[in-house]
Amino acid sequence: MNTTKQPSLMLVDGMALLFRAYYATATSGYIRRTKAGVPTNAIYGFLRYLWDAIDTFQPTHVACCWDMAAKTFRSDQFAAYKGNRPEAPEDLIPQFSLIREVTDCLGIPNLGVEGFEADDCIGTLACRFGSDMNVMILSGDHDLLQLVDERTSVIIMKKGHGNYLVYTPETLYQEKGLSPRQVIDVKGLMGDTSDNYPGVRGIGEKTAMKLIQEYETIEGILANMDSLTKSVRGKIEADLEMLHLSRSLAAIHCEVPVDCDLDLCLLEIDDERVLSKLEELEMKSLSHLMGVALVP
């Protein structure tokens, strides 16, 4: 990896990649396994996704952020937060710890803090290092669009390998007509079925976007309640407390006590160490994709 180029940091949303990789193959009914029966389909797919992104965007530094546990400060604020999530598939569970061993072998730090989500760690690190270098966030999660700024882009993985949509402040405004901060207010209004918080009941994405585009913020909407239709005004008045709570739940916390030494994020591959792990997991075929030299 050529480190003389302009330094840049890629922050990887680990769970987003791992779940995407798992379901990309599991839906077909095929689960890749080692001869001993250990499932590895998510790990195999994760590495393919990760390395394609590294080849495409050429970061000098990489770190991977993980959710640590189901309970976070958000579940303290709202007990039902993410309460609708099903249990992880049985074949995926052993791959949670294995993938961290693999990223560790790549020299990529695994980061996470109890009580916070990976998004919060990503937001904190983007704020911390964004003044010194360009930051790229790799995920499939549109919640992270609130972190976009002049030095931080969000790379959304689309369907299929090598298919990305890169969000900057300009592309976010062109596509959605929103600033990064307004992403939070839209989520406050419409809620999030995936994270299981309701927002204002009866207000969907289309109405939420229209309101924020017109009044700019939730405060702007509340200051102009007389201008709203009777129906929309009634819905907001009935769910005012939940509106504020939902906005709070939607906001990524950017002051997490996450320990990250930037020097340890420098992407330098130890071919022998990586090859040994790939052989152990019976996926040596990936060595060519990853540019790992076969050790004689």
Side-chain angles (χ1 to χ4, degrees):
M1 189 65 60
N2 177 13
T3 56
T4 59
K5 61 188 175 185
Q6 198 71 15
S8 59
L9 171 64
M10 178 176 280
L11 297 171
V12 179
D13 184 351
M15 285 301 188
L17 261 68
L18 194 66
F19 273 86
R20 176 180 287 260
Y22 176 83
Y23 285 111
T25 55
T27 50
S28 69
Y30 171 70
I31 300 290
R32 183 188 182 97
R33 299 177 191 277
T34 64
K35 291 185 180 72
V38 177
T40 58
N41 68 315
I43 295 168
Y44 186 87
F46 180 102
L47 287 173
R48 288 190 64 208
Y49 284 135
L50 176 63
W51 224 257
D52 185 88
I54 287 172
D55 274 346
T56 301
F57 298 102
Q58 293 287 305
T60 55
H61 297 67
V62 181
C64 196
C65 295
W66 299 95
D67 296 321
M68 300 300 286
K71 190 166 176 57
T72 68
F73 76 94
R74 290 184 181 86
S75 46
D76 290 336
Q77 288 181 328
F78 184 56
Y81 184 73
K82 291 192 176 180
N84 58 342
R85 296 282 177 98
E87 291 293 317
E90 193 174 326
D91 287 323
L92 180 56
I93 292 170
Q95 299 185 69
F96 288 144
S97 55
L98 268 177
I99 189 59
R100 299 189 197 204
E101 291 178 20
V102 174
T103 47
D104 188 55
C105 284
L106 292 169
I108 295 174
N110 292 302
L111 305 172
V113 178
E114 292 285 346
F116 297 94
E117 296 179 52
D119 288 6
D120 301 310
C121 292
I122 288 170
T124 298
L125 296 174
C127 290
R128 186 181 300 172
F129 298 121
S131 56
D132 300 319
M133 59 173 60
N134 287 327
V135 175
M136 301 171 276
I137 297 168
L138 180 67
S139 182
D141 184 357
H142 285 72
D143 290 355
L144 289 159
L145 297 181
Q146 64 187 266
L147 299 175
V148 167
D149 63 27
E150 294 305 325
R151 296 297 295 270
T152 299
S153 57
V154 173
I155 303 164
I156 294 292
M157 302 169 67
K158 308 289 278 185
K159 193 171 182 180
H161 274 278
N163 190 10
Y164 306 102
L165 190 52
V166 180
Y167 283 95
T168 62
E170 293 73 30
T171 55
L172 177 61
Y173 189 78
Q174 285 166 11
E175 185 181 292
K176 298 182 182 291
L178 298 174
S179 71
R181 292 299 302 171
Q182 288 176 320
V183 171
I184 304 170
D185 282 12
V186 168
K187 293 292 292 292
L189 283 162
M190 64 180 277
D192 187 321
T193 53
S194 173
D195 287 341
N196 202 41
Y197 58 87
V200 176
R201 285 167 295 181
I203 290 187
E205 182 176 17
K206 189 175 177 182
T207 302
M209 295 268 283
K210 184 180 176 185
L211 287 169
I212 293 301
Q213 285 164 351
E214 184 167 354
Y215 298 105
E216 297 189 353
T217 63
I218 285 172
E219 285 73 22
I221 295 168
L222 297 179
N224 289 278
M225 292 285 273
D226 291 345
S227 305
L228 306 180
T229 65
K230 185 178 179 182
S231 171
V232 169
R233 185 170 68 246
K235 289 170 183 174
I236 291 174
E237 286 172 345
D239 261 341
L240 199 53
E241 191 175 336
M242 184 52 72
L243 169 62
H244 290 300
L245 177 57
S246 294
R247 178 167 63 169
S248 175
L249 294 170
I252 290 173
H253 187 78
C254 293
E255 295 180 355
V256 175
V258 56
D259 186 25
C260 179
D261 184 338
L262 192 59
D263 290 341
L264 297 179
C265 301
L266 184 65
L267 191 59
E268 292 183 314
I269 302 300
D270 180 332
D271 288 0
E272 193 169 349
R273 188 179 178 206
V274 173
L275 191 61
S276 173
K277 180 56 77 172
L278 292 177
E279 286 177 334
E280 177 193 324
L281 295 172
E282 299 168 24
M283 49 182 74
K284 192 175 171 182
S285 60
L286 285 179
S287 60
H288 175 70
L289 173 74
M290 298 167 65
V292 175
L294 298 179
V295 181

